[in-house]
Amino acid sequence: MESRVTLSLVGATCLWVSAPAVLVAQLIIWFRTGAWPPWSFGDGCAFVGLGRPVVTWAAGQQIFDWVWSWPLWLGLFVSTAIMAALIPHARHD
C-alpha cells in the first residue's frame, strides 16, 4: 500500500509542477498570437490516455462534460488539490 501512496505523491507533485507550467505556456501563446489556446482538461486527459467518462445518470454526465471543458491549467490545479486531500486518508495495510 505504501507504493500506492508514493505513486500518488509523485502524481500530485507532477500535477502541481505542470499546472503553472501550462498556464505560463498558455499566457505566452496568448501574448504572442492574441488568442487563448483552446487546451481543455479533456485534451490533457486524452494526452495521457484517459478517455471521457460516460455515466448513465444525466446530471453526472453534465458534470463530467463541464469539468472536461475546463481550461487545462485549471483542471490540473483542481486535480492536484483533490489528490493532496486524499493522500493523508490513504490506508496503510
Side-chain angles (χ1 to χ4, degrees):
M1 189 57 116
E2 287 184 27
S3 63
R4 289 184 195 171
V5 173
T6 303
L7 185 61
S8 296
L9 275 171
V10 170
T13 303
C14 290
L15 288 173
W16 181 68
V17 170
S18 66
V22 168
L23 180 58
V24 167
Q26 286 186 307
L27 286 171
I28 290 170
I29 291 171
W30 180 44
F31 287 132
R32 286 187 178 174
T33 65
W36 188 259
W39 302 339
S40 69
F41 184 61
D43 295 335
C45 289
F47 179 74
V48 296
L50 296 175
R52 178 180 222 101
V54 177
V55 295
T56 57
W57 184 44
Q61 187 63 46
Q62 289 176 343
I63 291 169
F64 278 122
D65 291 343
W66 175 64
V67 169
W68 239 241
S69 66
W70 283 353
L72 180 57
W73 65 270
L74 178 63
L76 293 173
F77 274 126
V78 171
S79 300
T80 303
I82 291 170
M83 287 182 72
L86 293 177
I87 288 172
H89 300 292
R91 291 181 33 207
H92 296 280
D93 292 335

